[in-house]
């Protein structure tokens, strides 16, 4: 009898040991499966969760604000990639466009307050590709894939966004060094006013510029640049060929009154377009445009718009009013395509249809004005692909921005989209 009890106890003990061993085996197997999830995978899962949690506009703002504390000019910083934006224009107020850029007549981008949108059919349809904080000031496209944009989030600097996949995803990479014209001559080399970058816009270094400069210099590349100076009632266009170490004058004009601003564009080593903006009065502003194709040896007067309210165009006298005229009483957007082709808008705040446009296609020897004018009392924006194809966006303070396009060189413009 005692033997039987011992046998039963032994059997029960053996069975319990087998159950415990089995449980232990399952625990070890589960531990091995968990260990196959690497730290990187965990971080990826965490990142995906974070992106999901930041899908609302409010959380997008906090994401951008957190990034703004990183050191953008001294290192890589904490770059932030926005979530893949799904085209849902109803959630974004696109009524006020503040920047435009095209890669070709069909493909391009526009931006506004906290958003960037893309078209692939010449502006008829747009899809939002970025939502964040800040007003888009500029967009620049090196090609159909590489795009940059500057954001005004308040303060003295502009945040710099980059996309490497045609605007599908955007990364905050740093700040723009100034509010000059941002342009890239390669994926790594960028120029903006008096500064340049060799790492795609992440860090910037200053150029040396001449004394008494008006606004920003414009560098076509790392060596060749242009600047406008004024001293003792003389307007002077200065040129450098060694990256700003030495400057020398290539054009001088007497001024009746001081310059208020100067805008420079260049599409070649020897090419420079100089817009000089003078006095204003009675909703009128006087301005002139000069152009050289031979490095400054010779110049064409492209535009000389003297006005009653603003006085003589810079570089001209009250008696000299026979220069080529652009329509309107104030300068509009200026877009240079190549050494031969440039377009410029005109504005007439006192007119029923204040927006006009003109162009040259022979390097400034002649200036042609379109007969078409359009309403809209806000800022206007130009993006020109070639001598025949271009976009013109006209804004209104209380109405949505409207986009017009031309395929015959500016003679006719058709409405293709109303932004809402």
């Amino acid at each position: 009898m005692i033997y039987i009890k011992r046998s039963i106890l032994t059997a029960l003990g053996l069975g319990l040991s087998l159950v415990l061993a089995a449980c232990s085996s399952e625990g070890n197997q589960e531990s091995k499966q968990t260990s196959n999830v690497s730290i990187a995978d965990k971080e990826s899962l965490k990142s995906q969760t974070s992106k999901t949690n930041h899908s609302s506009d409010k959380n997008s703002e906090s994401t951008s604000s957190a990034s703004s504390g990183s050191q953008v000019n001294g290192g890589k910083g904490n770059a932030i990639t926005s979530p893949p934006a799904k085209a849902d224009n109803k959630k974004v107020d696109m009524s006020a466009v503040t920047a435009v850029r095209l890669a070709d007549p069909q493909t391009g981008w526009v931006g506004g307050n906290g958003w960037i949108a893309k078209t692939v059919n010449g502006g008829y349809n747009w899809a939002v590709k970025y939502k964040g904080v800040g007003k888009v000031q500029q967009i620049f496209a090196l090609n159909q894939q590489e795009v940059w944009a500057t954001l005004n989030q308040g303060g003295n600097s502009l945040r710099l966004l980059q996309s490497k996949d045609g605007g599908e995803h955007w990364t905050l990479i740093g700040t723009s060094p100034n509010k000059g014209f941002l342009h890239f001559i390669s994926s790594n080399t960028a120029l903006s006013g008096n500064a340049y970058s060799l790492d795609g816009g992440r860090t910037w270094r200053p150029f040396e510029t001449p004394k008494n400069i008006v606004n920003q210099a414009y560098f076509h590349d790392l060596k060749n640049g242009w600047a406008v100076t004024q001293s003792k009632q003389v307007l002077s266009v200065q040129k450098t060929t060694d990256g700003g170490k030495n400057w020398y004058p290539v054009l001088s004009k007497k001024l009746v009154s001081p310059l208020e601003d100067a805008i420079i564009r260049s599409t070649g080593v020897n090419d420079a377009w100089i817009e000089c903006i003078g006095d204003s009065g009675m909703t009128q502003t006087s301005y002139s445009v000069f152009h050289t194709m031979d490095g400054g040896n010779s110049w064409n007067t492209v535009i000389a718009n003297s006005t009653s309210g603003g006085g003589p165009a810079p570089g001209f006298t009250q008696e000299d009013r026979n220069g080529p005229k652009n329509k309107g009483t104030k300068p509009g957007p200026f877009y240079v395509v190549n050494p031969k082709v440039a377009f410029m808008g005109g504005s007439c705040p006192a007119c029923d249809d204040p927006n006009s446009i003109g162009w040259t296609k022979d390097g400034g020897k002649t200036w042609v004005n379109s007969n078409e004018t359009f309403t809209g009392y806000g800022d206007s924006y130009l993006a020109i692909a070639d001598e025949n194809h271009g976009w013109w966006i006209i804004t209104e303070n209380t109405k949505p921005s409207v986009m017009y396009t031309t395929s015959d060189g500016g003679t006719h413009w058709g409405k293709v989209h109303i932004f809402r």
Side-chain angles (χ1 to χ4, degrees):
M1 191 68 178
I2 295 172
Y3 175 78
I4 292 173
K5 289 180 179 178
R6 288 179 177 174
S7 299
I8 292 171
L9 291 171
T10 302
L12 289 172
L14 180 61
L16 181 59
S17 298
L18 291 171
V19 171
L20 291 172
C23 291
S24 175
S25 174
E26 288 180 6
N28 289 335
Q29 184 177 3
E30 186 178 37
S31 176
K32 288 180 180 179
Q33 290 174 347
T34 304
S35 68
N36 287 335
V37 180
S38 67
I39 294 175
D41 293 329
K42 291 178 181 176
E43 291 298 322
S44 177
L45 291 172
K46 191 184 297 182
S47 174
Q48 290 175 11
T49 304
S50 174
K51 288 182 180 180
T52 302
N53 291 337
H54 285 86
S55 61
S56 70
D57 288 342
K58 183 176 181 181
N59 288 331
S60 293
E61 289 182 14
S62 64
T63 301
S64 296
S65 296
S67 144
S68 65
S70 62
Q71 291 185 355
V72 291
N73 283 336
K76 293 182 179 179
N78 298 324
I80 293 178
T81 303
S82 65
K86 296 180 181 179
D88 189 358
N89 296 351
K90 293 181 180 179
K91 294 183 179 179
V92 176
D93 181 4
M94 297 174 60
S95 61
V97 172
T98 59
V100 60
R101 191 74 184 189
L102 54 68
D104 57 55
Q106 298 299 312
T107 307
W109 300 264
V110 295
N113 191 4
W115 58 271
I116 297 173
K118 181 181 182 181
T119 183
V120 293
N121 62 359
Y124 286 94
N125 302 103
W126 295 86
V128 174
K129 297 299 181 181
Y130 171 83
K131 288 184 284 185
V133 179
K135 177 182 175 182
V136 179
Q137 298 289 104
Q138 291 189 63
I139 302 174
F140 182 84
L142 182 63
N143 48 52
Q144 290 186 345
Q145 298 300 313
E146 297 176 277
V147 191
W148 290 262
T150 59
L151 288 175
N152 187 344
Q153 296 179 336
N156 296 324
S157 62
L158 302 176
R159 301 306 307 276
L160 185 59
L161 281 170
Q162 179 189 35
S163 175
K164 295 182 179 180
D165 57 6
E168 295 299 317
H169 303 86
W170 295 84
T171 302
L172 280 168
I173 61 171
T175 61
S176 179
N178 50 56
K179 295 183 180 180
F181 181 70
L182 173 72
H183 58 117
F184 285 72
I185 58 177
S186 72
S187 300
N188 294 320
T189 305
L191 303 141
S192 180
N194 304 335
Y196 68 96
S197 173
L198 299 177
D199 55 8
R202 286 169 174 79
T203 60
W204 296 84
R205 299 176 183 178
F207 283 112
E208 295 180 33
T209 55
K211 295 179 179 180
N212 303 315
I213 190 171
V214 180
N215 201 341
Q216 299 276 334
Y218 185 101
F219 281 80
H220 172 264
D221 50 51
L222 292 174
K223 291 185 176 181
N224 297 283
W226 306 82
V228 174
T229 64
Q230 65 174 332
S231 178
K232 298 179 180 179
Q233 294 186 315
V234 174
L235 174 165
S236 179
V237 177
Q238 309 273 341
K239 179 184 178 182
T240 182
T241 57
D242 55 10
K245 294 178 182 178
N246 296 284
W247 293 85
Y248 57 93
V250 289
L251 175 67
S252 294
K253 292 279 187 178
K254 290 184 178 180
L255 292 170
V256 174
S257 57
L259 284 180
E260 294 298 323
D261 201 0
I263 297 170
I264 308 171
R265 296 293 182 264
S266 172
T267 59
V269 172
N270 294 313
D271 177 60
W273 302 75
I274 313 294
E275 178 184 356
C276 300
I277 300 173
D279 275 348
S280 298
M282 299 185 301
T283 71
Q284 301 175 355
T285 300
S286 298
Y287 63 101
S288 52
V289 177
F290 306 100
H291 178 230
T292 181
M293 291 190 291
D294 58 9
N297 292 321
S298 61
W299 294 83
N300 285 320
T301 299
V302 185
I303 295 172
N305 270 36
S306 298
T307 63
S308 299
F316 297 89
T317 65
Q318 291 283 7
E319 293 75 27
D320 188 4
R321 292 175 176 262
N322 297 321
K325 300 290 189 295
N326 189 33
K327 273 188 179 180
T329 58
K330 296 178 69 175
F334 187 36
Y335 198 103
V336 173
V337 182
N338 56 48
K340 292 283 188 179
V341 180
F343 284 72
M344 189 171 191
S347 175
C348 178
C351 301
D352 291 335
D353 295 324
N355 295 285
S356 58
I357 195 165
W359 60 84
T360 180
K361 297 179 182 178
D362 56 11
K365 295 177 182 178
T366 59
W367 187 259
V368 179
N369 289 286
S370 172
N371 291 323
E372 296 194 352
T373 56
F374 296 99
T375 189
Y377 291 92
D379 293 330
S380 61
Y381 305 91
L382 282 176
I384 309 296
D386 52 47
E387 66 177 88
N388 293 317
H389 300 89
W391 301 354
W392 187 12
I393 296 179
I394 296 172
T395 65
E396 179 64 81
N397 295 330
T398 59
K399 296 179 181 179
S401 299
V402 180
M403 177 173 171
Y404 302 86
T405 63
T406 183
S407 58
D408 61 4
T411 302
H412 301 95
W413 296 84
K415 183 188 296 184
V416 298
H417 190 79
I418 299 175
F419 293 91
R420 300 189 187 279

